[in-house]
Amino acid sequence: MKGARILIVESRYYAEIADALIEGAEREIGKSGAVSERIVVPGAFEIPGAIALAADHYDGFVALGCVIRGETTHYDYVCGESARGLMDLSVRERLSIGYGIVTVDTMEQAKARAFTNRGDKGGDAAHACLAMVALSRRWRNA
């Protein structure tokens, strides 16, 4: 995906998980020949808004974050609304978005999904983003 400009939008609420997600995403983007820029938002809930603000400036987006279930219903709202916001942007605005928001019950589950020597969700999200950028380019040039 040489020449593609990718924006990584990262929630650093859980820094250790965020670092692992970033490592995987940047490695995958680098392998493809694309270039990336990274911004940080306060939490997963803010990721769709940041992508909407930057929509005209990048070929694709990688949404990275982690939401761990707590004792209240806050988890359900953050997970559902951030996922819905990203899907709405993807479909309505035709944006290439890789979803890398880890939603889990425990920190151990988050580590299993995020660390590059285990689940590598950051790398998976970057791969998905790049695949969607390729489809977008294919049909734009058809």
Side-chain angles (χ1 to χ4, degrees):
M1 193 47 46
K2 197 157 186 76
R5 295 184 61 232
I6 307 300
L7 180 64
I8 300 170
V9 181
E10 167 198 13
S11 164
R12 289 200 58 78
Y13 195 84
Y14 297 100
E16 181 181 21
I17 302 304
D19 288 343
L21 292 168
I22 286 293
E23 179 184 345
E26 288 182 338
R27 185 191 67 249
E28 191 69 24
I29 292 166
K31 285 188 330 189
S32 76
V35 296
S36 66
E37 186 177 335
R38 183 169 119 196
I39 62 167
V40 175
V41 296
F45 197 79
E46 290 76 28
I47 293 172
I51 290 174
L53 292 170
D56 295 335
H57 304 285
Y58 295 89
D59 299 303
F61 303 88
V62 180
L64 300 178
C66 178
V67 184
I68 299 176
R69 186 179 301 278
E71 296 176 1
T72 69
T73 59
H74 182 71
Y75 169 90
D76 298 314
Y77 293 109
V78 172
C79 294
E81 293 303 318
S82 60
R84 172 55 44 208
L86 291 171
M87 182 56 73
D88 287 349
L89 284 170
S90 175
V91 174
R92 185 181 61 243
E93 304 299 325
R94 298 180 182 174
L95 299 181
S96 300
I97 301 173
Y99 185 83
I101 301 174
V102 177
T103 56
V104 295
D105 291 323
T106 67
M107 180 59 79
E108 186 53 42
Q109 290 173 344
K111 290 176 181 179
R113 285 160 180 79
F115 286 11
T116 57
N117 63 345
R118 294 168 85 179
D120 194 16
K121 185 66 174 168
D124 291 346
H127 179 78
C129 169
L130 293 164
M132 297 305 289
V133 169
L135 284 176
S136 176
R137 286 182 173 183
R138 173 184 170 186
W139 286 310
R140 183 178 25 190
N141 296 328

